[in-house]
Amino acid sequence: MDVTSGGDAPWLVVGLGNPGPEYAMNRHNVGFMVADLLAGRIGGKFKRAGKAQAQIVEGRIGPPGPASRRVILAKPMSYMNLSGGPVNALRDFYKVPLDHVVAVHDELDIDYGVLRLKLGGGDNGHNGLKSMTKAMGPDYHRVRFGIGRPPGRMQVADFVLKDFSSAERKELDYFVDRAADSVEALLAEGLERAQSTYNS
């Protein structure tokens, strides 16, 4: 059973990351990578979103017909720890219910490449989620992309702002593709069915 509100309401899928080429391949930017792939799938290119500090693509996800969902893909351009403001501005502008917001983000407490989909919950120290929850409350969907814990004594901040390792990059495209699939499943089929397929 789908837990979401009105079926005709648009969805806002937010890839979390930091803007700028120096961050592009960081672990912290995997949300941007998934958003870019989804934009390519619907044939769109990111453009500046009016007054909101974000880039967006509008389109439809899913097969033609009743399973197709109107979607706004977004990448906040405000840096990770200020993501909530731009996301909330987009949500207000497009009249998106909170349970139609999906944050795609890196997750330290899950092994690399493993996905977990959920609705609501805490931020687990993730600055992007912390900012979104402060701006809107916690009851939005999350697609959590595992990046694992830092090795040895490396600080978390250093780890998430480093590029994926060469070993990780060998499987990165596959994992990003799977994460994009999970977003499409969440929108088309609802949380429970998407969890049963992708929560490995």
Coordinates of all heavy atoms in Angstrom, one line a residue, residues 37-132:
L37 N 21.7 11.3 -13.6 CA 21.3 10.1 -14.4 C 19.8 10.2 -14.7 O 19.3 9.9 -15.8 CB 21.7 8.9 -13.7 CG 21.3 7.6 -14.4 CD1 21.9 7.5 -15.8 CD2 21.8 6.4 -13.6
L38 N 19.0 10.5 -13.7 CA 17.5 10.6 -13.8 C 17.2 11.6 -14.9 O 16.2 11.4 -15.7 CB 16.8 10.8 -12.5 CG 16.8 9.7 -11.5 CD1 16.4 10.2 -10.1 CD2 15.8 8.6 -12.0
A39 N 17.9 12.8 -14.8 CA 17.6 13.8 -15.8 C 17.9 13.3 -17.2 O 17.1 13.6 -18.2 CB 18.5 15.0 -15.5
G40 N 18.9 12.6 -17.4 CA 19.3 12.0 -18.7 C 18.2 11.0 -19.2 O 17.8 11.0 -20.3
R41 N 17.6 10.3 -18.2 CA 16.6 9.3 -18.6 C 15.3 10.0 -19.1 O 14.6 9.4 -19.9 CB 16.3 8.4 -17.4 CG 17.4 7.4 -17.0 CD 16.9 6.5 -15.9 NE 18.0 5.6 -15.5 CZ 17.8 4.6 -14.6 NH1 16.6 4.6 -13.9 NH2 18.8 3.8 -14.3
I42 N 15.0 11.1 -18.5 CA 13.8 11.8 -19.0 C 14.1 12.9 -20.1 O 13.2 13.6 -20.5 CB 13.0 12.4 -17.8 CG1 13.8 13.6 -17.1 CG2 12.6 11.3 -16.8 CD1 12.9 14.3 -16.0
G43 N 15.3 12.9 -20.5 CA 15.7 13.8 -21.6 C 15.7 15.2 -21.3 O 15.5 16.1 -22.1
G44 N 16.1 15.5 -20.0 CA 16.1 16.9 -19.6 C 17.5 17.4 -19.2 O 18.4 16.6 -19.0
K45 N 17.7 18.7 -19.2 CA 19.0 19.3 -18.8 C 18.7 20.2 -17.6 O 17.7 21.0 -17.7 CB 19.6 20.1 -20.0 CG 20.2 19.2 -21.0 CD 21.2 19.9 -21.9 CE 22.0 18.9 -22.7 NZ 22.2 19.3 -24.0
F46 N 19.6 20.2 -16.6 CA 19.4 21.1 -15.5 C 19.5 22.5 -15.9 O 20.4 22.9 -16.6 CB 20.4 20.7 -14.4 CG 19.9 19.5 -13.5 CD1 20.4 18.3 -13.8 CD2 19.0 19.7 -12.5 CE1 20.0 17.2 -13.0 CE2 18.6 18.6 -11.8 CZ 19.1 17.4 -12.0
K47 N 18.6 23.3 -15.3 CA 18.6 24.8 -15.5 C 18.3 25.5 -14.2 O 17.7 24.9 -13.3 CB 17.7 25.2 -16.6 CG 16.2 25.0 -16.2 CD 15.3 25.5 -17.3 CE 13.8 25.5 -16.9 NZ 13.1 24.2 -17.0
R48 N 18.7 26.7 -14.1 CA 18.5 27.5 -12.9 C 17.0 27.6 -12.6 O 16.2 27.9 -13.5 CB 19.1 28.9 -13.0 CG 19.3 29.7 -11.7 CD 20.4 29.0 -10.9 NE 20.4 29.6 -9.6 CZ 21.5 29.9 -8.9 NH1 22.7 29.6 -9.5 NH2 21.5 30.4 -7.7
A49 N 16.6 27.5 -11.4 CA 15.2 27.5 -11.0 C 14.8 28.9 -10.5 O 14.7 29.1 -9.3 CB 14.9 26.4 -9.9
G50 N 14.5 29.8 -11.4 CA 14.0 31.1 -11.0 C 14.8 31.7 -9.8 O 16.0 31.8 -9.8
K51 N 14.0 32.0 -8.7 CA 14.6 32.6 -7.6 C 15.2 31.6 -6.6 O 16.0 32.0 -5.7 CB 13.6 33.5 -6.8 CG 13.1 34.7 -7.6 CD 12.1 35.5 -6.8 CE 11.7 36.7 -7.6 NZ 10.6 37.5 -6.9
A52 N 14.8 30.4 -6.7 CA 15.3 29.3 -5.8 C 16.8 29.0 -6.1 O 17.2 29.0 -7.3 CB 14.5 28.0 -5.9
Q53 N 17.6 28.8 -5.1 CA 19.0 28.6 -5.3 C 19.2 27.1 -5.6 O 19.7 26.3 -4.8 CB 19.8 29.0 -4.0 CG 21.2 29.3 -4.3 CD 21.9 29.8 -3.0 OE1 21.3 30.0 -2.0 NE2 23.2 30.0 -3.1
A54 N 18.8 26.7 -6.8 CA 18.8 25.3 -7.2 C 18.8 25.2 -8.7 O 18.4 26.2 -9.4 CB 17.6 24.6 -6.6
Q55 N 19.2 24.1 -9.2 CA 19.0 23.7 -10.6 C 17.9 22.6 -10.7 O 17.8 21.8 -9.8 CB 20.3 23.2 -11.3 CG 21.3 24.3 -11.4 CD 22.6 23.8 -12.1 OE1 22.7 22.6 -12.4 NE2 23.5 24.7 -12.4
I56 N 17.1 22.7 -11.7 CA 15.9 21.7 -11.8 C 15.8 21.2 -13.2 O 16.2 21.8 -14.2 CB 14.6 22.4 -11.4 CG1 14.2 23.6 -12.3 CG2 14.6 22.8 -9.9 CD1 12.8 24.0 -12.2
V57 N 15.1 20.1 -13.3 CA 14.6 19.5 -14.6 C 13.2 19.1 -14.3 O 12.9 18.4 -13.2 CB 15.4 18.3 -15.0 CG1 14.7 17.6 -16.2 CG2 16.8 18.7 -15.4
E58 N 12.2 19.4 -15.1 CA 10.8 19.0 -15.0 C 10.5 18.0 -16.1 O 11.0 18.1 -17.2 CB 9.9 20.2 -15.2 CG 10.0 21.2 -14.1 CD 9.0 22.3 -14.2 OE1 7.8 22.0 -14.2 OE2 9.4 23.5 -14.5
G59 N 9.8 17.0 -15.7 CA 9.4 15.9 -16.6 C 8.5 14.9 -16.0 O 7.8 15.2 -15.0
R60 N 8.5 13.7 -16.6 CA 7.7 12.6 -16.1 C 8.5 11.4 -16.0 O 9.4 11.1 -16.8 CB 6.4 12.3 -17.0 CG 5.5 13.5 -17.1 CD 4.2 13.1 -17.7 NE 3.3 12.5 -16.7 CZ 2.5 13.1 -15.8 NH1 2.5 14.4 -15.8 NH2 1.7 12.4 -15.0
I61 N 8.3 10.6 -14.9 CA 9.1 9.4 -14.7 C 8.1 8.2 -14.7 O 6.9 8.4 -14.2 CB 9.8 9.4 -13.3 CG1 11.1 10.2 -13.4 CG2 10.0 8.1 -12.7 CD1 11.9 10.3 -12.1
G62 N 8.5 7.1 -15.3 CA 7.7 6.0 -15.4 C 7.1 5.8 -16.7 O 7.1 6.7 -17.6
P63 N 6.4 4.6 -17.0 CA 5.8 4.3 -18.3 C 4.6 5.2 -18.5 O 4.0 5.7 -17.6 CB 5.4 2.9 -18.1 CG 5.2 2.7 -16.7 CD 6.2 3.5 -16.0
P64 N 4.3 5.5 -19.8 CA 3.1 6.3 -20.1 C 1.9 5.6 -19.5 O 1.8 4.4 -19.4 CB 3.1 6.3 -21.6 CG 4.4 5.9 -22.1 CD 5.0 5.1 -21.0
G65 N 1.0 6.5 -19.1 CA -0.3 5.9 -18.5 C -0.3 6.3 -17.0 O 0.3 7.2 -16.5
P66 N -1.2 5.5 -16.2 CA -1.5 5.9 -14.8 C -0.2 5.8 -13.9 O -0.2 6.4 -12.9 CB -2.5 4.8 -14.4 CG -2.8 4.0 -15.6 CD -1.9 4.4 -16.7
A67 N 0.8 5.0 -14.3 CA 2.0 4.9 -13.5 C 3.0 6.0 -13.7 O 3.9 6.1 -12.9 CB 2.7 3.5 -13.7
S68 N 2.7 6.9 -14.7 CA 3.6 8.0 -14.9 C 3.4 9.0 -13.8 O 2.3 9.3 -13.4 CB 3.3 8.6 -16.3 OG 4.1 9.7 -16.5
R69 N 4.5 9.6 -13.4 CA 4.5 10.6 -12.3 C 5.2 11.9 -12.8 O 6.3 11.9 -13.3 CB 5.2 10.1 -11.1 CG 4.7 8.8 -10.5 CD 3.3 9.1 -9.7 NE 2.8 7.9 -9.1 CZ 1.9 7.1 -9.7 NH1 1.3 7.4 -10.8 NH2 1.4 6.0 -9.0
R70 N 4.5 13.0 -12.5 CA 5.1 14.3 -12.8 C 6.2 14.5 -11.7 O 6.0 14.3 -10.5 CB 4.1 15.4 -12.7 CG 4.7 16.8 -13.0 CD 3.7 17.9 -12.9 NE 4.3 19.2 -12.9 CZ 3.9 20.2 -12.2 NH1 2.9 20.2 -11.4 NH2 4.6 21.4 -12.2
V71 N 7.4 14.9 -12.2 CA 8.5 15.1 -11.2 C 9.3 16.3 -11.5 O 9.5 16.8 -12.7 CB 9.4 13.8 -11.3 CG1 10.1 13.7 -12.7 CG2 10.5 13.8 -10.2
I72 N 9.8 16.9 -10.5 CA 10.8 18.0 -10.5 C 12.1 17.4 -9.9 O 12.1 17.0 -8.7 CB 10.4 19.2 -9.7 CG1 9.1 19.8 -10.3 CG2 11.5 20.3 -9.8 CD1 7.9 19.4 -9.5
L73 N 13.1 17.3 -10.7 CA 14.4 16.9 -10.2 C 15.2 18.1 -9.8 O 15.2 19.1 -10.5 CB 15.2 16.1 -11.3 CG 14.6 14.9 -11.9 CD1 15.4 14.4 -13.1 CD2 14.5 13.8 -10.8
A74 N 15.8 18.1 -8.7 CA 16.5 19.3 -8.2 C 17.9 19.0 -7.6 O 18.1 17.9 -7.0 CB 15.6 20.0 -7.1
K75 N 18.8 19.9 -7.8 CA 20.1 19.9 -7.2 C 20.3 21.3 -6.5 O 20.4 22.3 -7.2 CB 21.2 19.7 -8.2 CG 21.1 18.4 -8.9 CD 22.4 18.0 -9.7 CE 22.6 19.0 -10.9 NZ 23.8 18.6 -11.7
P76 N 20.2 21.4 -5.2 CA 20.5 22.6 -4.5 C 21.9 23.1 -4.8 O 22.8 22.4 -4.8 CB 20.3 22.3 -3.0 CG 19.5 21.0 -3.0 CD 19.9 20.3 -4.2
M77 N 22.0 24.4 -5.1 CA 23.3 25.1 -5.4 C 23.8 25.9 -4.2 O 24.6 26.8 -4.3 CB 23.1 26.0 -6.6 CG 22.8 25.2 -7.9 SD 24.2 24.3 -8.6 CE 23.8 22.6 -8.3
S78 N 23.3 25.5 -3.0 CA 23.6 26.3 -1.8 C 24.7 25.8 -0.9 O 24.9 26.3 0.2 CB 22.3 26.4 -1.0 OG 21.9 25.1 -0.7
Y79 N 25.3 24.7 -1.3 CA 26.1 23.8 -0.5 C 25.3 23.0 0.5 O 24.2 23.4 0.9 CB 27.2 24.6 0.3 CG 28.3 25.2 -0.7 CD1 28.2 26.5 -1.1 CD2 29.3 24.4 -1.2 CE1 29.1 27.0 -2.0 CE2 30.2 24.8 -2.1 CZ 30.1 26.2 -2.5 OH 31.0 26.6 -3.4
M80 N 25.8 21.8 0.8 CA 25.1 20.8 1.5 C 24.4 21.3 2.8 O 23.2 21.0 3.0 CB 26.1 19.7 1.8 CG 25.4 18.5 2.5 SD 24.4 17.5 1.4 CE 25.6 16.5 0.6
N81 N 25.1 22.0 3.6 CA 24.5 22.4 4.9 C 23.4 23.4 4.9 O 22.8 23.8 5.9 CB 25.6 22.8 5.9 CG 26.4 24.0 5.4 OD1 26.3 24.4 4.3 ND2 27.0 24.7 6.4
L82 N 23.1 23.9 3.7 CA 22.1 24.9 3.5 C 21.0 24.4 2.5 O 20.2 25.2 2.0 CB 22.6 26.3 3.0 CG 23.6 26.9 4.0 CD1 24.3 28.2 3.3 CD2 23.0 27.4 5.3
S83 N 20.9 23.1 2.3 CA 20.0 22.6 1.3 C 18.6 22.9 1.6 O 17.7 23.0 0.6 CB 20.2 21.1 1.2 OG 21.5 20.7 0.8
G84 N 18.2 23.0 2.8 CA 16.8 23.1 3.2 C 16.1 24.3 2.6 O 14.9 24.1 2.2
G85 N 16.7 25.4 2.6 CA 16.1 26.6 2.0 C 15.7 26.5 0.6 O 14.5 26.7 0.3
P86 N 16.6 26.1 -0.3 CA 16.2 25.9 -1.7 C 15.1 24.8 -1.9 O 14.2 25.0 -2.7 CB 17.5 25.6 -2.4 CG 18.6 26.1 -1.5 CD 18.0 26.0 -0.1
V87 N 15.3 23.7 -1.2 CA 14.3 22.7 -1.3 C 12.9 23.1 -0.9 O 11.9 22.9 -1.6 CB 14.7 21.4 -0.5 CG1 13.7 20.3 -0.6 CG2 16.1 20.8 -1.1
N88 N 12.8 23.8 0.2 CA 11.5 24.2 0.7 C 10.9 25.3 -0.2 O 9.7 25.3 -0.4 CB 11.7 24.8 2.1 CG 10.4 24.7 2.9 OD1 9.6 23.8 2.7 ND2 10.1 25.6 3.8
A89 N 11.8 26.1 -0.8 CA 11.3 27.1 -1.8 C 10.7 26.4 -3.0 O 9.6 26.8 -3.5 CB 12.4 28.1 -2.2
L90 N 11.3 25.4 -3.5 CA 10.8 24.6 -4.6 C 9.5 23.9 -4.2 O 8.5 23.9 -5.0 CB 11.8 23.6 -5.1 CG 13.1 24.2 -5.8 CD1 14.1 23.1 -6.0 CD2 12.7 24.8 -7.1
R91 N 9.5 23.4 -3.1 CA 8.3 22.6 -2.6 C 7.1 23.6 -2.5 O 6.0 23.2 -3.0 CB 8.6 22.0 -1.2 CG 7.5 21.1 -0.7 CD 7.9 20.4 0.5 NE 7.7 21.2 1.7 CZ 6.6 21.2 2.4 NH1 5.6 20.5 2.1 NH2 6.5 22.0 3.5
D92 N 7.3 24.8 -2.0 CA 6.2 25.8 -2.0 C 5.8 26.2 -3.4 O 4.6 26.3 -3.7 CB 6.7 27.0 -1.2 CG 6.8 26.8 0.3 OD1 6.2 25.8 0.8 OD2 7.4 27.6 1.0
F93 N 6.7 26.4 -4.2 CA 6.4 26.9 -5.6 C 5.6 25.9 -6.4 O 4.6 26.2 -7.0 CB 7.7 27.3 -6.3 CG 7.4 27.8 -7.7 CD1 7.1 29.1 -7.9 CD2 7.6 27.0 -8.8 CE1 6.8 29.6 -9.2 CE2 7.3 27.5 -10.1 CZ 7.0 28.8 -10.3
Y94 N 6.0 24.6 -6.3 CA 5.3 23.6 -7.1 C 4.2 22.9 -6.3 O 3.6 22.0 -6.8 CB 6.4 22.5 -7.5 CG 7.3 23.0 -8.6 CD1 8.6 23.5 -8.3 CD2 6.9 23.1 -9.9 CE1 9.4 23.9 -9.3 CE2 7.7 23.5 -10.9 CZ 9.0 24.0 -10.6 OH 9.8 24.4 -11.6
K95 N 4.0 23.3 -5.1 CA 2.9 22.8 -4.2 C 3.1 21.3 -4.1 O 2.2 20.5 -4.4 CB 1.5 23.1 -4.8 CG 1.3 24.7 -4.8 CD 0.0 25.0 -5.3 CE -0.3 26.5 -5.1 NZ 0.8 27.4 -5.5
V96 N 4.2 20.9 -3.6 CA 4.6 19.5 -3.4 C 4.3 19.1 -2.0 O 4.9 19.7 -1.1 CB 6.1 19.2 -3.8 CG1 6.4 17.7 -3.6 CG2 6.4 19.6 -5.2
P97 N 3.5 18.1 -1.7 CA 3.3 17.6 -0.4 C 4.6 17.0 0.2 O 5.4 16.5 -0.6 CB 2.3 16.4 -0.5 CG 1.7 16.6 -1.9 CD 2.7 17.3 -2.7
L98 N 4.8 17.1 1.5 CA 6.1 16.7 2.1 C 6.4 15.3 1.8 O 7.5 14.9 1.6 CB 6.0 17.0 3.6 CG 7.4 16.8 4.3 CD1 8.5 17.5 3.7 CD2 7.2 17.1 5.8
D99 N 5.3 14.4 1.8 CA 5.6 13.0 1.5 C 5.8 12.7 0.0 O 5.9 11.5 -0.4 CB 4.5 12.1 2.1 CG 3.1 12.3 1.5 OD1 3.0 13.1 0.6 OD2 2.2 11.6 1.9
H100 N 5.8 13.7 -0.8 CA 6.2 13.6 -2.2 C 7.6 14.2 -2.4 O 8.0 14.3 -3.6 CB 5.2 14.3 -3.1 CG 4.0 13.4 -3.5 ND1 3.3 12.8 -2.5 CD2 3.5 13.1 -4.7 CE1 2.3 12.1 -3.1 NE2 2.4 12.3 -4.4
V101 N 8.3 14.5 -1.4 CA 9.7 14.9 -1.5 C 10.6 13.7 -1.2 O 10.4 12.9 -0.3 CB 10.0 16.0 -0.4 CG1 11.5 16.4 -0.5 CG2 9.2 17.2 -0.7
V102 N 11.6 13.5 -2.1 CA 12.6 12.4 -2.0 C 14.0 13.0 -1.9 O 14.4 13.7 -2.9 CB 12.5 11.4 -3.2 CG1 13.4 10.3 -3.0 CG2 11.1 10.9 -3.4
A103 N 14.7 12.7 -0.9 CA 16.1 13.2 -0.8 C 17.0 12.0 -1.1 O 16.9 10.9 -0.5 CB 16.4 13.7 0.6
V104 N 17.9 12.1 -2.1 CA 18.9 11.1 -2.4 C 20.2 11.5 -1.9 O 20.7 12.6 -2.2 CB 18.9 10.9 -4.0 CG1 19.9 9.7 -4.3 CG2 17.6 10.6 -4.6
H105 N 20.8 10.7 -1.0 CA 22.0 11.2 -0.3 C 22.9 10.0 0.1 O 22.5 8.8 0.1 CB 21.6 11.9 1.0 CG 20.9 11.1 2.0 ND1 21.5 10.4 3.0 CD2 19.5 10.7 2.1 CE1 20.6 9.7 3.7 NE2 19.4 9.9 3.2
D106 N 24.2 10.4 0.4 CA 25.2 9.4 0.9 C 24.9 9.1 2.3 O 24.3 9.9 3.1 CB 26.6 10.0 0.7 CG 26.7 11.4 1.5 OD1 25.9 12.3 1.2 OD2 27.6 11.5 2.4
E107 N 25.2 7.8 2.7 CA 24.9 7.4 4.0 C 26.1 6.6 4.6 O 26.5 5.6 4.0 CB 23.7 6.4 4.0 CG 23.3 5.8 5.3 CD 23.0 6.9 6.4 OE1 22.1 7.7 6.2 OE2 23.7 6.9 7.4
L108 N 26.7 7.1 5.7 CA 27.9 6.5 6.2 C 27.7 5.1 6.9 O 28.6 4.3 6.9 CB 28.5 7.4 7.3 CG 29.2 8.7 6.8 CD1 29.2 9.7 8.0 CD2 30.6 8.4 6.4
D109 N 26.5 4.9 7.5 CA 26.3 3.7 8.3 C 25.8 2.5 7.4 O 25.3 1.6 8.0 CB 25.3 4.0 9.4 CG 26.0 4.8 10.5 OD1 27.2 4.8 10.6 OD2 25.2 5.5 11.3
I110 N 25.9 2.6 6.1 CA 25.6 1.5 5.2 C 26.8 1.2 4.4 O 27.5 2.1 3.9 CB 24.4 1.9 4.4 CG1 23.2 2.3 5.2 CG2 24.0 0.7 3.5 CD1 22.0 2.8 4.5
D111 N 27.0 -0.1 4.1 CA 28.1 -0.5 3.3 C 28.0 0.1 1.9 O 26.9 0.4 1.4 CB 28.2 -2.0 3.1 CG 28.6 -2.7 4.4 OD1 29.2 -2.0 5.3 OD2 28.4 -3.9 4.6
Y112 N 29.2 0.3 1.2 CA 29.3 0.9 -0.1 C 28.3 0.2 -1.1 O 28.3 -1.0 -1.2 CB 30.7 0.9 -0.6 CG 30.8 1.4 -2.0 CD1 30.4 2.7 -2.3 CD2 31.3 0.6 -3.0 CE1 30.5 3.2 -3.6 CE2 31.4 1.1 -4.3 CZ 31.0 2.3 -4.6 OH 31.1 2.8 -5.9
G113 N 27.5 1.1 -1.7 CA 26.6 0.6 -2.8 C 25.3 0.0 -2.3 O 24.4 -0.2 -3.2
V114 N 25.1 -0.2 -1.0 CA 23.9 -0.8 -0.5 C 22.9 0.4 -0.4 O 23.2 1.5 -0.1 CB 24.1 -1.4 0.8 CG1 22.8 -1.8 1.5 CG2 25.0 -2.6 0.7
L115 N 21.6 0.1 -0.8 CA 20.6 1.1 -0.7 C 19.6 0.8 0.4 O 19.3 -0.3 0.7 CB 19.8 1.1 -2.0 CG 20.5 1.5 -3.3 CD1 19.6 1.3 -4.5 CD2 21.0 3.0 -3.2
R116 N 19.0 1.9 1.0 CA 18.0 1.8 1.9 C 17.0 2.9 1.6 O 17.3 4.1 1.6 CB 18.5 1.9 3.4 CG 19.3 0.8 3.9 CD 18.5 -0.4 4.4 NE 19.3 -1.3 5.0 CZ 20.0 -2.3 4.4 NH1 20.0 -2.4 3.1 NH2 20.8 -3.2 5.1
L117 N 15.7 2.5 1.4 CA 14.7 3.5 1.2 C 13.8 3.6 2.5 O 13.5 2.6 3.1 CB 13.8 3.1 0.0 CG 14.3 3.4 -1.4 CD1 15.5 2.5 -1.7 CD2 13.2 3.2 -2.4
K118 N 13.4 4.8 2.8 CA 12.6 5.0 4.0 C 11.8 6.3 4.0 O 12.2 7.2 3.1 CB 13.5 4.9 5.3 CG 14.5 6.0 5.4 CD 15.4 5.9 6.6 CE 14.8 6.6 7.8 NZ 15.8 6.7 8.9
L119 N 10.8 6.4 4.8 CA 10.1 7.6 5.0 C 10.3 8.2 6.4 O 10.1 7.5 7.4 CB 8.6 7.4 4.7 CG 7.6 8.5 5.0 CD1 7.9 9.7 4.0 CD2 6.2 8.1 4.9
G120 N 10.7 9.4 6.5 CA 10.9 10.1 7.8 C 12.2 9.5 8.5 O 13.0 8.8 7.9
G121 N 12.4 10.0 9.7 CA 13.5 9.5 10.5 C 14.4 10.7 10.8 O 14.1 11.8 10.5
G122 N 15.5 10.4 11.5 CA 16.5 11.4 11.9 C 17.5 11.7 10.7 O 17.3 11.2 9.6
D123 N 18.4 12.6 11.0 CA 19.4 13.0 10.0 C 20.7 12.2 10.1 O 21.5 12.3 9.2 CB 19.6 14.5 10.0 CG 20.1 15.0 11.4 OD1 21.2 14.5 11.8 OD2 19.5 15.8 12.0
N124 N 20.9 11.5 11.2 CA 22.2 10.7 11.4 C 23.4 11.5 11.1 O 24.4 11.0 10.6 CB 22.1 9.5 10.5 CG 23.0 8.4 11.0 OD1 23.2 8.3 12.2 ND2 23.4 7.5 10.1
G125 N 23.4 12.8 11.5 CA 24.6 13.7 11.4 C 24.8 14.2 10.0 O 25.8 14.9 9.7
H126 N 23.9 13.9 9.0 CA 24.0 14.4 7.6 C 23.6 15.8 7.5 O 22.4 16.1 7.8 CB 23.2 13.4 6.7 CG 23.6 13.6 5.3 ND1 23.1 14.7 4.5 CD2 24.2 12.9 4.4 CE1 23.6 14.6 3.3 NE2 24.2 13.5 3.2
N127 N 24.5 16.7 7.1 CA 24.1 18.1 7.1 C 23.1 18.5 6.2 O 22.3 19.4 6.4 CB 25.4 19.0 6.9 CG 26.3 19.0 8.1 OD1 25.9 18.8 9.2 ND2 27.6 19.1 7.8
G128 N 23.0 17.8 5.0 CA 21.9 18.1 4.1 C 20.6 17.7 4.6 O 19.6 18.5 4.5
L129 N 20.5 16.6 5.2 CA 19.2 16.1 5.8 C 18.8 17.1 7.0 O 17.7 17.4 7.2 CB 19.3 14.7 6.3 CG 19.5 13.6 5.2 CD1 19.5 12.2 5.9 CD2 18.4 13.7 4.1
K130 N 19.9 17.4 7.8 CA 19.6 18.3 8.9 C 19.0 19.6 8.5 O 18.0 20.1 9.1 CB 21.0 18.5 9.6 CG 20.9 19.1 11.0 CD 22.2 19.2 11.7 CE 22.9 17.9 11.9 NZ 24.2 18.0 12.6
S131 N 19.5 20.2 7.4 CA 19.0 21.4 6.9 C 17.6 21.3 6.3 O 16.7 22.1 6.6 CB 19.9 22.0 5.8 OG 19.5 23.2 5.3
M132 N 17.3 20.2 5.6 CA 16.0 19.9 5.1 C 15.0 19.7 6.2 O 13.9 20.3 6.1 CB 16.0 18.7 4.1 CG 16.6 19.0 2.8 SD 16.6 17.5 1.7 CE 14.9 17.2 1.5

